[in-house]
């Protein structure tokens, strides 16, 4: 008689082998879900998203046809996975920070890292500044990445103008390739917030000094860097370097958390006002990390009334069901990003680690593109009405005009507009009477690009 543990028995071996296979199959299912060909909806979404991503690369094989889509599958979550060689996954990173606010990398290093991680579209969303966008755009050209000019705006939600009930709220703004309309108005708001950040950081240092932690203001500003408004992270880094805490997490947990003993508020605008301004300047307004809010429902309700377009629902660890349901309730786009700062450590999500389903990306662009198209029209129209250097600079703000130069320092206005539009809009979006009128106005205008940086 053969014992149960006798592995020489062929029927026993087959049994073990089949059990092991089942176990492996179940493990695989749990880990990544079953794979299947894309549905018609997903195929259409993928084609549309890819066309937009490769606008400035007219010969990309996926930009004008569905060729190669059969090499793609999606998992149970609708995330695209490539089966064939040479195919590219559409990775959008919609939340990242550079040294221009509280990140650790320069915009160009951030773009380089994003490229290494397979990111195709990167939104640089520094806190309360867009000063890193130009460098990011320059680097993105070298690495073949598309940049969405963005910013994360620090605001306050005040339910009844009662300071005790106030809560900090961060709003992400996403703009078209040529940035916001009425840029000066947005820039003024951001400058006021940055000035308030200096006051706030100084107050934090003062509070820490009173708590017998003699931190020096010069130490904080040195860490922040020239021209960067210091934030909590810079104060926390100074505390670590001075030896008052072991790490950044401890600095926040003991002293700098919302309402903590060294916490301080700045001069942030009301959340609703920021959302309204984003909408008025041709941007898409999205609520950042709603899971960090103490009382998200009244905030989401109020911001939706002010014009909020979406909220973060996806993280690197998946979609958060409660916030997904809230987005459904208030008819908001469901987005997400890594919120990458480059500080390292186990707690930080990597650039491009948030898997946004292709249908989600399509929904995002479906809402964003008409808004961006209108903003581009307004900026170009301003130049057509008054072809001054100032108005040309508005077109060039986040665009490398050198790439539009011909063999001479001068260029026809119509040619410039055509080249800009070909990089920014689809052929369908360009078929617009208002764009035709702009072309006509500039058909005989000569533009000197040599002075535009």
């Amino acid at each position: 008689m053969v014992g149960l543990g006798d592995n020489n028995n062929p029927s026993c071996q087959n049994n073990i082998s089949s059990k092991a296979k089942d176990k492996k199959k179940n493990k695989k299912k749990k880990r990544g879900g079953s794979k299947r060909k894309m549905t018609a909806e997903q195929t259409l979404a993928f084609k549309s998203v890819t066309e937009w991503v490769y606008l400035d690369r007219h010969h990309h094989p996926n930009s004008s046809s569905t060729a190669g889509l059969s090499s793609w599958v999606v998992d149970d979550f609708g995330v695209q996975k490539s089966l064939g060689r040479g195919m590219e996954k559409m990775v959008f990173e919609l939340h990242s920070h550079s040294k221009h606010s509280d990140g650790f990398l320069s915009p160009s290093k951030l773009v380089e890292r994003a490229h290494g991680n397979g990111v195709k579209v990167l939104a640089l969303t520094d806190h309360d500044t867009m000063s890193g966008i130009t460098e990011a755009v320059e680097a993105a050209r070298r690495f073949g990445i598309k940049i969405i000019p963005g910013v994360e705006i620090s605001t306050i939600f005040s339910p009844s103008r009662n300071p005790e009930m106030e809560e900090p709220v961060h709003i992400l703004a996403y703009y078209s390739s040529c940035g916001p309309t009425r840029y000066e108005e947005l820039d003024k708001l951001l400058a006021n917030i940055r000035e308030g950040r200096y006051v706030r950081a100084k107050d934090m240092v003062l509070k820490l000094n009173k708590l017998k932690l003699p931190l020096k203001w010069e130490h904080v500003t040195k860490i922040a860097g020239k021209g960067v408004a210091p934030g909590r992270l810079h104060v926390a880094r100074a505390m670590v370097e001075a030896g008052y805490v072991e790490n950044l997490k401890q600095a926040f947990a003991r002293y700098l958390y919302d309402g903590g003993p060294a916490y301080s508020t700045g001069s942030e605008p009301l959340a609703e006002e920021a959302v309204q301004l984003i909408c008025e300047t041709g941007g898409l307004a999205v609520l950042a990390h709603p899971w960090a809010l103490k009382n998200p429902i009244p905030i989401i309700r109020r911001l939706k009334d002010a014009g909020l377009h979406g909220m973060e629902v996806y993280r690197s660890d998946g979609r958060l069901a409660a916030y997904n349901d809230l987005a459904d309730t208030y008819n908001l786009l469901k987005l997400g990003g890594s919120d990458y700062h480059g500080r390292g450590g186990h707690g930080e999500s990597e650039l491009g680690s948030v898997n946004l389903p292709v249908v989600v990306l399509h929904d995002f662009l479906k809402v964003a593109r008409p808004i961006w198209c209108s903003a581009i029209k307004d900026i170009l129209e301003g130049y057509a009405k008054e072809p001054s250097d100032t108005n040309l600079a508005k077109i060039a703000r986040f665009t490398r005009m050198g790439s539009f130069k011909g063999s001479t320092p001068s260029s026809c206005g119509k040619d410039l507009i055509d080249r800009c539009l070909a990089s920014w809009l689809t052929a369908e979006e360009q078929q617009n009477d208002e764009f035709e009128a702009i072309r006509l106005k500039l058909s005989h205008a000569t533009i000197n690009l040599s002075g535009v940086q």
Side-chain angles (χ1 to χ4, degrees), residues 11-278:
S11 67
C12 182
Q13 276 188 322
N14 288 340
N15 209 18
I16 290 167
S17 169
S18 101
K19 274 183 184 172
K21 276 181 187 170
D22 287 346
K23 202 175 179 185
K24 205 173 180 184
K25 206 183 274 180
N26 288 339
K27 204 174 180 185
K28 223 175 192 180
K29 248 184 191 174
K30 273 181 192 173
R31 204 167 50 227
S34 59
K35 294 176 182 178
R36 59 182 185 274
K37 291 287 182 186
M38 286 204 277
T39 64
E41 183 193 17
Q42 288 163 339
T43 301
L44 187 70
F46 182 74
K47 182 176 181 281
S48 177
V49 170
T50 309
E51 180 190 23
W52 179 79
V53 171
Y54 292 111
L55 273 176
D56 53 353
R57 280 178 270 172
H58 308 293
H59 303 299
H60 191 278
N62 295 328
S63 62
S64 59
S65 74
T66 52
L69 286 183
S70 57
S71 303
W72 284 80
V73 293
V74 291
D75 64 15
D76 288 336
F77 309 103
V79 175
Q80 326 116 54
K81 295 183 181 296
S82 169
L83 290 178
R85 290 177 67 188
M87 290 297 291
E88 294 172 297
K89 184 179 166 187
M90 285 299 108
V91 180
F92 276 50
E93 173 54 79
L94 296 177
H95 193 162
S96 67
H97 299 276
S98 78
K99 285 174 87 170
H100 283 254
S101 65
D102 57 348
F104 281 66
L105 301 179
S106 66
S108 51
K109 287 288 179 190
L110 188 78
V111 168
E112 188 177 344
R113 190 177 185 92
H115 170 69
N117 290 352
V119 172
K120 295 289 176 275
V121 178
L122 176 71
L124 177 56
T125 53
D126 276 322
H127 291 281
D128 310 313
T129 181
M130 296 185 82
S131 59
I133 302 291
T134 308
E135 185 188 330
V137 169
E138 183 78 29
R141 288 185 189 282
R142 297 199 305 273
F143 292 105
I145 286 180
K146 196 178 191 82
I147 297 292
I148 295 177
V151 60
E152 184 173 358
I153 304 178
S154 308
T155 75
I156 285 288
F157 180 75
S158 184
S160 52
R161 304 271 178 179
N162 179 355
E164 288 179 19
M165 299 288 287
E166 285 181 352
E167 191 171 355
V169 174
H170 288 190
I171 311 292
L172 292 159
Y174 301 113
Y175 288 98
S176 77
S177 298
C178 59
T181 59
R182 291 160 56 184
Y183 178 81
E184 294 73 20
E185 205 174 318
L186 177 72
D187 196 45
K188 187 181 175 185
L189 176 91
L190 298 179
N192 286 342
I193 298 170
R194 291 196 302 272
E195 281 169 30
R197 285 168 82 88
Y198 279 98
V199 174
R200 177 195 189 205
K202 277 183 179 174
D203 194 38
M204 285 179 181
V205 170
L206 194 66
K207 285 181 176 180
L208 287 166
N209 290 344
K210 285 178 181 174
L211 291 165
K212 305 287 187 278
L213 301 176
L215 198 68
K216 290 184 176 162
W217 172 245
E218 294 74 21
H219 192 172
V220 175
T221 54
K222 187 183 175 186
I223 287 170
K226 194 178 176 186
V228 176
R232 274 191 284 187
L233 186 70
H234 301 119
V235 175
R237 283 174 65 188
M239 290 173 74
V240 174
E241 287 182 15
Y244 300 138
V245 288
E246 288 176 26
N247 50 45
L248 297 173
K249 193 175 179 182
Q250 202 176 85
F252 277 87
R254 289 185 183 175
Y255 302 101
L256 302 174
Y257 61 89
D258 289 0
Y263 178 74
S264 181
T265 55
S267 55
E268 292 88 356
L270 290 173
E272 303 96 305
E273 290 173 6
V275 167
Q276 284 163 0
L277 185 61
I278 292 166

